[in-house]
Amino acid sequence: MKIIDWMFDCFKCFPNEPTPFLLAVHSLDLYISKRATYKKLLDEEEFQLSALTSILIASKTNDIFAVSIDTLVENIGFYNFSEKGIFSEEY
């Protein structure tokens, strides 16, 4: 539940509707359920990277101006993740 609270705090920084947040939570939930099917558990760092990636995907899907990858890396991820890591998780 902490990751959802963290994602909500991230979305409060952006002027948008609740729809991208809900989509991000939904996509993260789908991803985790697929991983659980194959019994591949996520560690804390992978979990946060997956959450960042779901934020990016939701923003690209719903927002007119999507959250930039620089914003994700610098302001939300605090340089703990690279652009390359987020993009590789996206695909």
Side-chain angles (χ1 to χ4, degrees):
M1 198 61 157
K2 288 182 182 179
I3 196 75
I4 304 302
D5 293 336
W6 176 78
M7 290 171 70
F8 183 73
D9 289 341
C10 293
F11 271 98
K12 285 195 302 188
C13 299
F14 308 110
N16 52 15
E17 304 174 2
T19 306
F21 169 72
L22 298 173
L23 181 61
V25 170
H26 179 71
S27 65
L28 181 64
D29 184 51
L30 286 174
Y31 178 71
I32 291 169
S33 67
K34 295 291 183 191
R35 296 267 314 214
T37 302
Y38 298 108
K39 298 189 179 3
K40 295 179 182 176
L41 300 177
L42 297 169
D43 64 15
E44 187 175 324
E45 188 173 312
E46 289 176 322
F47 198 43
Q48 192 171 11
L49 179 61
S50 299
L52 274 176
T53 305
S54 67
I55 289 171
L56 177 66
I57 292 168
S59 179
K60 284 181 174 182
T61 305
N62 272 325
D63 294 338
I64 294 172
F65 299 104
V67 175
S68 72
I69 192 70
D70 293 332
T71 301
L72 286 176
V73 171
E74 296 168 11
N75 301 337
I76 298 176
F78 299 109
Y79 296 100
N80 292 324
F81 306 101
S82 66
E83 291 179 19
K84 184 178 178 181
I86 295 171
F87 283 134
S88 67
E89 187 76 15
E90 183 181 15
Y91 296 108

